[in-house]
Amino acid sequence: MKDTLKWVFKNLHLIISVLIVVPTAIIYGSPSILEERLDIQVGSIDLANLLKAIMCLYLGTSLVWIMGIWKPRYWKSATQLNILFMLSLAIGRTISIMTDGLPTDGYIYGLIAEYILGLFSIYQLKKYSY
């Protein structure tokens, strides 16, 4: 039990990231969901192409996190990628807020979650890199 709990805490940042990013990727790659749920109109093939590419980027990144969860030798790289991924998104959203204005609440929650997960991943990296 103690080893299982330690495993969960060590991988918590990666587990949470996978649980959030995989569904987000699928939503980004599904124009009908974007239009129905988020009122985002995908009006060109180029935009649909961009969104599918982002979907696969998110899924590929999630695959690295899954490898880090299940294979200890990949944990550090997966954690470093998680830091880069989350904080890059958070900084990009912060820039957008400063230049474009406030988005809807969902994107504000996403911004907060990205900062928390990015900073928590830095903590995890320092705590468990031995």
Side-chain angles (χ1 to χ4, degrees):
M1 178 67 170
K2 185 178 178 182
D3 287 339
T4 302
L5 209 51
K6 182 180 177 185
W7 180 88
V8 168
F9 282 122
K10 180 179 180 182
N11 292 296
L12 188 59
H13 61 296
L14 299 174
I15 294 167
I16 292 169
S17 294
V18 168
L19 291 174
I20 292 171
V21 171
V22 168
T24 301
I26 293 166
I27 289 168
Y28 283 0
S30 305
S32 62
I33 295 173
L34 286 172
E35 292 173 8
E36 181 181 318
R37 302 282 185 198
L38 299 174
D39 196 29
I40 296 172
Q41 305 302 314
V42 181
S44 72
I45 292 173
D46 288 346
L47 181 56
N49 184 279
L50 173 83
L51 290 167
K52 294 275 191 311
I54 290 171
M55 174 186 71
C56 288
L57 177 64
Y58 278 29
L59 292 173
T61 300
S62 296
L63 182 60
V64 174
W65 296 334
I66 292 167
M67 290 172 51
I69 293 166
W70 293 112
K71 301 283 186 180
R73 69 177 179 258
Y74 296 119
W75 183 88
K76 184 176 180 180
S77 296
T79 298
Q80 290 169 329
L81 178 58
N82 201 29
I83 294 166
L84 178 68
F85 183 89
M86 292 300 170
L87 293 181
S88 294
L89 287 174
I91 291 166
R93 289 188 202 279
T94 301
I95 292 168
S96 177
I97 287 171
M98 293 176 0
T99 59
D100 307 321
L102 286 174
T104 58
D105 289 347
Y107 289 101
I108 300 280
Y109 298 137
L111 169 71
I112 293 166
E114 289 155 2
Y115 272 121
I116 290 170
L117 280 167
L119 295 173
F120 182 53
S121 296
I122 291 171
Y123 169 80
Q124 294 286 79
L125 185 62
K126 289 182 178 183
K127 182 175 180 176
Y128 291 106
S129 287
Y130 39 79

